[in-house]
């Protein structure tokens, strides 16, 4: 018999001790791997969490159901399952959250006009985020703007909607959900 084979004959048990088998709690059992065609399949209200460093998330708008996507080098809000990269690793630098795209390795941030982009090699000031939970669920995503926090929302430029940091405060921004993958 080789090392990798098990003898089908049962072995006598001369030990009279009691053996207890622990049950694995359902929250620790791995779910099916993410499906790129239906990345939010099975995501119910309890599936959405507060972003936490070291975890990977899909960032979804509550109002339209679309997700933050790196598509052809640009940040877009697209339907789940469409083209582009939708997975964001949450990181922390100096207490600020950042989001690194799993495909490009670049960080979500903003450009000089406040539009969201994904081009930074490192998590620095223009890539700083924090979240503010809302009593009715979801959270507002905030970015630094000098000594203030501006919410992430939608800005229209020449008839095209773009994700951008759009203003002081945090109560009027797009409401987001973070689905851990």
């Amino acid at each position: 018999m080789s090392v990798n084979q098990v003898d089908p004959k049962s072995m006598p048990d001369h030990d009279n001790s009691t053996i207890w088998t622990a049950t694995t709690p359902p929250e620790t059992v791995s779910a099916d791997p993410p499906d790129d065609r239906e990345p939010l399949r099975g995501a119910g209200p309890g599936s959405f969490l507060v972003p936490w460093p070291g975890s990977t998330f899909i960032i979804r708008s509550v109002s339209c159901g679309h997700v933050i996507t790196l598509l052809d080098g640009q940040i877009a809000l697209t339907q789940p399952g469409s083209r582009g990269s939708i997975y964001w690793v949450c990181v922390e630098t100096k207490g600020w959250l950042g989001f690194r795209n799993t495909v490009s390795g670049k960080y979500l941030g903003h450009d000089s006009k406040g539009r969201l982009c994904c081009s930074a090699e490192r998590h620095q000031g223009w890539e700083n985020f924090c979240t503010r939970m809302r009593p009715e669920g979801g959270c507002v995503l905030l970015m630094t703007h000098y000594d203030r926090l501006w919410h992430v929302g939608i800005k229209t430029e020449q008839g095209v909607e773009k994700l951008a940091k759009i203003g002081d405060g945090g109560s009027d921004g797009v409401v987001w959900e973070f689905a851990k993958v």
Side-chain angles (χ1 to χ4, degrees):
M1 176 170 33
S2 76
V3 176
N4 294 331
Q5 293 179 333
V6 177
D7 186 1
K9 295 183 288 181
S10 63
M11 297 180 65
D13 185 7
H14 300 291
D15 183 6
N16 291 332
S17 62
T18 304
I19 297 175
W20 296 95
T21 304
T23 304
T24 302
E27 61 271 9
T28 63
V29 176
S30 175
D32 293 333
D35 182 348
D36 286 340
R37 291 177 308 271
E38 293 184 59
L40 295 172
R41 177 180 43 97
S47 305
F48 299 103
L49 307 168
V50 174
W52 194 258
S55 297
T56 302
F57 295 93
I58 297 172
I59 308 170
R60 182 177 89 87
S61 165
V62 172
S63 63
C64 67
H66 292 181
V67 297
I68 296 179
T69 306
L70 178 60
L71 178 63
D72 298 329
Q74 304 293 315
I75 293 298
L77 203 53
T78 65
Q79 290 183 349
S82 55
R83 283 188 332 110
S85 177
I86 61 171
Y87 300 110
W88 302 92
V89 176
C90 183
V91 299
E92 181 180 9
T93 303
K94 298 181 182 178
W96 291 102
L97 296 178
F99 298 97
R100 183 177 45 80
N101 184 267
T102 59
V103 173
S104 71
K106 309 266 174 132
Y107 289 86
L108 187 62
H110 67 84
D111 63 16
S112 61
K113 295 184 179 184
R115 295 176 298 224
L116 263 57
C117 62
C118 186
S119 58
E121 299 282 338
R122 296 178 304 184
H123 179 203
Q124 296 183 8
W126 285 20
E127 296 78 39
N128 286 343
F129 288 89
C130 72
T131 58
R132 183 173 298 153
M133 298 304 294
R134 294 178 50 96
E136 57 276 1
C139 63
V140 177
L141 196 53
L142 302 163
M143 297 186 80
T144 54
H145 183 79
Y146 299 100
D147 64 343
R148 296 194 163 126
L149 290 173
W150 282 20
H151 55 270
V152 173
I154 298 172
K155 178 190 221 179
T156 304
E157 290 181 348
Q158 300 174 352
V160 178
E161 290 184 338
K162 300 272 185 176
L163 283 173
K165 59 179 191 169
I166 58 172
D168 236 345
S171 59
D172 297 330
V174 172
V175 178
W176 303 97
E177 292 178 321
F178 289 80
K180 187 174 178 185
V181 292

